[in-house]
Amino acid sequence: MPPVRKYKFKFMNKIEVKGNWNEQKGKLKQKFAVLTDNDLMYEEGKRDEMYGRLQIKLGKSKEELHKLIEEL
């Protein structure tokens, strides 16, 4: 497979993941009214920072948050 195709495939996966995260953000905001867009802002490479914000705001462990997000 030529490198261009691999790059395009990788790019499409990121778009799909971003769309999925936007959907999950909406569900989290419905379930927890105290959450804001800033709390749920996901930047590549800064996942731990986001989980830290959520842990503080919701009073849940990182494992509890992972499970909660998977169940959405």
Side-chain angles (χ1 to χ4, degrees):
M1 184 179 278
V4 174
R5 282 182 80 85
K6 284 183 182 179
Y7 178 76
K8 188 174 183 179
F9 180 72
K10 235 180 184 180
F11 181 71
M12 290 302 291
N13 283 339
K14 284 183 181 183
I15 289 173
E16 290 171 5
V17 167
K18 186 175 182 179
N20 187 23
W21 177 242
N22 286 334
E23 183 180 327
Q24 288 181 325
K25 276 186 352 184
K27 290 178 182 180
L28 282 168
K29 285 175 25 179
Q30 284 178 350
K31 189 168 185 166
F32 301 100
V34 298
L35 294 178
T36 65
D37 285 333
N38 284 340
D39 295 327
L40 296 167
M41 188 178 349
Y42 177 80
E43 293 180 43
E44 194 167 330
K46 295 189 176 188
R47 176 195 275 181
D48 288 335
E49 285 181 27
M50 182 192 68
Y51 274 108
R53 288 191 302 268
L54 294 175
Q55 283 178 277
I56 291 168
K57 198 101 177 212
L58 300 177
K60 297 192 178 293
S61 71
K62 193 172 185 178
E63 293 78 21
E64 289 173 315
L65 290 172
H66 281 288
K67 186 176 178 182
L68 180 74
I69 290 170
E70 286 177 9
E71 291 174 352
L72 294 177

